[in-house]
C-alpha cells in the first residue's frame, strides 16, 4: 500500500491534475479545458470523471489520501474561489464543497502561489526551512509566505498578495484598479511595459523595436538580452531593482532565510537573479545583509503546479 | 499563591521594571538609569539588586515565574541585544545569559515593539485575535507582527522592522544608512521633518514658524493642529498618507484583522487615525477593503512597556 494525493491546478485556460506521491513524483497526469463549462458544478463533474478514469489506470495498491487544489483567488479557510478575474465563474464559488460531493476524501484549496510555496517546502529547496517566501513571476506576480513552518493565510485567508504592494502610488495602471502595483513592473507583462518605456526613453538601437506590444513576450526580451541587446539588459536591470526594493520590505516584515523565484520570468536565470541579489543587499537594513538567499525554485516547472496543490494534502496530514 | 512575572523595559535613558500579574496589572514598579554602567554585567548586577528589593516588598504569596525583557535591537532567539545605536554597550550583548547568572528563572528577551505586541495580545485589544500588527510611533517606528497567534521572529529573530521599509529610495536620510525609510516620515522625528518641509514649501502663516527644529516636538504639532493650524494639519495628513501606503503593503503580506498604533504620535488620536484609515482603504487591494481595523493600542502608555515585557513570559507559559 502506498499513499498518494490528487493535485489539481486550475488555470485560466487549462486545468491540470495528477496523482502525486510523497516525493512529489507525478504517477499520472491529465488535463481538461477550464472554460468550457458555464457552471462550476458541471466543470467539477467532468473533472471528477476524468480523475476517476486516471485513478482506475493506476496500480491497485495506491491509496488516495486527499485532494489539493491550487486556484486563482483561492481561499484556504473557506475552500472557495472568490472573484477570480480570469475564470468564467463569477462571485464566490464554493469549489471545495462541490468536490466533496464527488469524493469521500479531504479537500484543501488555496491560491496557486501558496500551493507552489507548499510544494517548495515539501519537495523542493525549502525542505529544511521554516521561514521563506516564494514569488511566482507569470502574467502577474504571486507570492506565498511561510513563517515558522506555517503558511501565512492571514485572518481572512487572503494573505500574500505581494503583486499588489505599491511601488509608486502615481505609477502604472494595474488590473486591480490601483496604480503602481509591483506586478505592473515585475512580471512577464511588467517587463514588456518596461521595454516599451525604454524604447520611448532612449534612441539606442534594439531588435525589440520591430515587435509590437502584443507580439512581445518575456522570452523575446531574455533572448535579446542574451545576445547583448542593451535595452533588453536594462529592462532586466530595472525589473530586478524594483523587485529587490520590494523584497527588502518583505524581509523587514518576516525575515526569511530564502526567497525563491518561480515561473516564466524566473526562467531568465542570472538576467533577473543577479540584479535582484545586488540591489537587495543595497536596500536591506544592515542587520539583514548577507543573510537572505535569492534562488530559483527547485520545483520543475511542469509538475510544480500539480505537485504544489498535492502538497496541501501532505502538509495537512503531517 | 499568585503567579507574577518580572517585566523589564530597557530604554536609551531609563530602564523601568515591575512585577506584573496575569491581567497586566503592575503590583510594583521602579527604574534605574540605563547609561551609568560601562559594562552590561555591572548594569545587570545593579538591576538585579533593585529587583530583589522590589520583590522583598511584595506579599509573600506572590511567585515570580520568569523575567521578560524588552530592549532595543533585542533578539528573541539568542537573548541578545545586537548593535543597539542608542545604548552604551556596543556589539552583541548576551543580556539574557547575564540575567540568568542572577536569577534561577526563565529569561526571555525581544525588541520593545515585539514586547508591546505581545502585551496587546495578552492584556490589550488583540486578546481575541490571531493575526494583527502593532506599530510603535516614538522617536522611530517599530513593529510587532503576529501571525496565526504567534509572534513573527523570522529565521534570525529580527523580523518586524517596518520602520525601515522603503517609502522612496531617493528620499530622506535615515540613521540606518539608507534613504527614504518609513520612520524618516512616520515617527515623532519624521513628522517634525515633514513640518519643516511644509514650512519651506508654503507661505501660509503658522505658529510653528517661530520654533527651531531642535525645539519642535510632536506634541507641539498636534497642539497646533488642534487649534486649526493648517500646516500642522497638513503634516498629519501627509504622515497618515505615507503610513497608510506602507500599511497597505503590510496587509498584502499578512492580512491582519487589526493594526494597533502605540506610543507618542499615536496619542494624537484622530489627527493621525483618520487620515490613516481613509488612505488605507484607497491603497488596499479591493479584497482587503473594509476588513482591517486601525485602532489605538489598548495598553495604557505608562505600564505598557513593562507589562509587554512581562507578556513574553506569560506567552511562553501558555
Amino acid at each position: 500500500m502506498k499513499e498518494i494525493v490528487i493535485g489539481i491546478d486550475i488555470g485560466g485556460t487549462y486545468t491540470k491534475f495528477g496523482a502525486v506521491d510523497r516525493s512529489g513524483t507525478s504517477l499520472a497526469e491529465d488535463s481538461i479545458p477550464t472554460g468550457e463549462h458555464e457552471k462550476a458544478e458541471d466543470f467539477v463533474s467532468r473533472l471528477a470523471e476524468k480523475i476517476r478514469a486516471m485513478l482506475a489506470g493506476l496500480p491497485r495498491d495506491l491509496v488516495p489520501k486527499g485532494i489539493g487544489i491550487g486556484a486563482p483567488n483561492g481561499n484556504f479557510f473557506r475552500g472557495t474561489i472568490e472573484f477570480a478575474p480570469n475564470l468564467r465563474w463569477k462571485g464566490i464559488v464554493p469549489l471545495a464543497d462541490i468536490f466533496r460531493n464527488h469524493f469521500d476524501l479531504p479537500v484543501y484549496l488555496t491560491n496557486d502561489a501558496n500551493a507552489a510555496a507548499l510544494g517548495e517546502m515539501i519537495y523542493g529547496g525549502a525542505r529544511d526551512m521554516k521561514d521563506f517566501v516564494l514569488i511566482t513571476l507569470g502574467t502577474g506576480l504571486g507570492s506565498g509566505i511561510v513563517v515558522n513552518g506555517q503558511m501565512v493565510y492571514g485572518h481572512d485567508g487572503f494573505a500574500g498578495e505581494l503583486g499588489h504592494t505599491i511601488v509608486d502610488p502615481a505609477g502604472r495602471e494595474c488590473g486591480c484598479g490601483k496604480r503602481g502595483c509591483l506586478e505592473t513592473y515585475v512580471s512577464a507583462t511588467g517587463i514588456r511595459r518596461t521595454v516599451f518605456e525604454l524604447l520611448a526613453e532612449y534612441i539606442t538601437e534594439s531588435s525589440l523595436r520591430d515587435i509590437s506590444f502584443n507580439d512581445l513576450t518575456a522570452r523575446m526580451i531574455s533572448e535579446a538580452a542574451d545576445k547583448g541587446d542593451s535595452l533588453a539588459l536594462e529592462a532586466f536591470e530595472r525589473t530586478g531593482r524594483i523587485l529587490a526594493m520590494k523584497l527588502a520590505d518583505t524581509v523587514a516584515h518576516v525575515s526569511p532565510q530564502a526567497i525563491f523565484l518561480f515561473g516564466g520570468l524566473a526562467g531568465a536565470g542570472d538576467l533577473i537573479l543577479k540584479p535582484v541579489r545586488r540591489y537587495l543587499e543595497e536596500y536591506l537594513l544592515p542587520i539583514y545583509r548577507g543573510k537572505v538567499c535569492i534562488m530559483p525554485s527547485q520545483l520543475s516547472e511542469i509538475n510544480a503546479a500539480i505537485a504544489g496543490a498535492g502538497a496541501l494534502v501532505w502538509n495537512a496530514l503531517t
Side-chain angles (χ1 to χ4, degrees), chain A residues 207-208 219-234 236 271:
Chain A
S207 60
L208 304 174
R219 181 177 293 270
M220 287 176 195
I221 305 167
S222 63
E223 282 169 0
D226 281 335
K227 287 177 191 152
D229 186 296
S230 64
L231 274 180
L233 286 164
E234 177 61 20
F236 275 104
L271 285 172

Side-chain angles (χ1 to χ4, degrees), chain A residues 10-34:
Chain A
I10 299 179
T13 314
Y14 282 99
T15 292
K16 300 173 197 162
F17 56 94
V20 182
D21 70 13
R22 271 203 185 261
S23 72
T25 305
S26 177
L27 307 171
E29 273 181 36
D30 201 350
S31 70
I32 64 168
T34 305

Side-chain angles (χ1 to χ4, degrees), chain A residues 65-79:
Chain A
K65 298 300 288 181
I67 297 173
I69 306 167
N73 292 40
N75 187 295
F76 177 75
F77 292 149
R78 311 208 270 176

Side-chain angles (χ1 to χ4, degrees), chain A residues 10-316:
Chain A
I10 299 179
T13 314
Y14 282 99
T15 292
K16 300 173 197 162
F17 56 94
V20 182
D21 70 13
R22 271 203 185 261
S23 72
T25 305
S26 177
L27 307 171
E29 273 181 36
D30 201 350
S31 70
I32 64 168
T34 305
E36 282 185 355
H37 299 273
E38 200 182 327
K39 289 182 169 178
E41 286 79 2
D42 297 339
F43 164 76
V44 175
S45 293
R46 174 80 183 119
L47 188 53
E49 206 176 281
K50 296 278 282 182
I51 289 171
R52 284 189 206 291
M54 175 186 75
L55 291 175
L58 290 173
R60 288 286 144 202
D61 65 334
L62 300 180
V63 182
K65 298 300 288 181
I67 297 173
I69 306 167
N73 292 40
N75 187 295
F76 177 75
F77 292 149
R78 311 208 270 176
T80 49
I81 294 177
E82 308 202 3
F83 308 101
N86 299 324
L87 297 181
R88 189 167 174 180
W89 318 303
K90 300 303 164 199
I92 298 176
V93 182
L95 207 81
D97 279 343
I98 303 175
F99 263 94
R100 289 184 190 110
N101 295 336
H102 291 271
F103 294 94
D104 189 21
L105 287 170
V107 180
Y108 304 93
L109 181 152
T110 190
N111 78 43
D112 23 15
N114 286 347
L118 283 172
E120 201 72 46
M121 185 165 78
I122 307 256
Y123 324 112
R127 264 173 294 184
D128 298 325
M129 296 184 188
K130 295 185 79 178
D131 297 273
F132 71 95
V133 173
L134 179 136
I135 304 286
T136 64
L137 297 169
T139 314
L141 184 152
S143 60
I145 302 172
V146 172
V147 161
N148 209 9
Q150 296 167 8
M151 195 77 228
V152 177
Y153 291 114
H155 84 109
D156 61 351
F158 285 123
E161 287 287 354
L162 301 196
H164 299 279
T165 57
I166 300 166
V167 172
D168 174 1
R172 294 180 182 173
E173 193 180 5
C174 183
C176 77
K178 299 197 299 161
R179 296 189 83 95
C181 291
L182 179 57
E183 74 173 26
T184 69
Y185 300 88
V186 181
S187 64
T189 318
I191 197 170
R192 284 161 69 208
R193 294 171 84 163
T194 300
V195 162
F196 272 64
E197 194 174 74
L198 289 165
L199 289 172
E201 206 169 317
Y202 295 104
I203 55 170
T204 324
E205 265 312 299
S206 167
S207 60
L208 304 174
R209 291 203 184 271
D210 296 317
I211 305 165
S212 76
F213 190 89
N214 282 337
D215 285 342
L216 184 65
T217 64
R219 181 177 293 270
M220 287 176 195
I221 305 167
S222 63
E223 282 169 0
D226 281 335
K227 287 177 191 152
D229 186 296
S230 64
L231 274 180
L233 286 164
E234 177 61 20
F236 275 104
E237 186 79 6
R238 287 198 182 181
T239 304
R241 187 185 65 76
I242 293 173
L243 179 55
M245 184 176 81
K246 298 306 289 184
L247 290 181
D249 279 9
T250 296
V251 173
H253 280 80
V254 295
S255 195
Q257 185 176 353
I259 299 172
F260 295 90
L261 303 187
F262 174 89
L265 201 55
D270 279 350
L271 285 172
I272 185 79
L273 289 167
K274 281 193 172 173
V276 172
R277 286 179 183 138
R278 189 172 67 247
Y279 285 111
L280 182 68
E281 289 301 306
E282 186 179 312
Y283 287 130
L284 282 177
L285 187 64
I287 49 165
Y288 301 125
R289 286 181 190 155
K291 290 193 207 168
V292 190
C293 299
I294 302 288
M295 55 173 103
S297 165
Q298 291 178 33
L299 298 170
S300 78
E301 282 283 324
I302 303 157
N303 293 326
I306 293 171
L312 265 170
V313 185
W314 296 126
N315 190 52

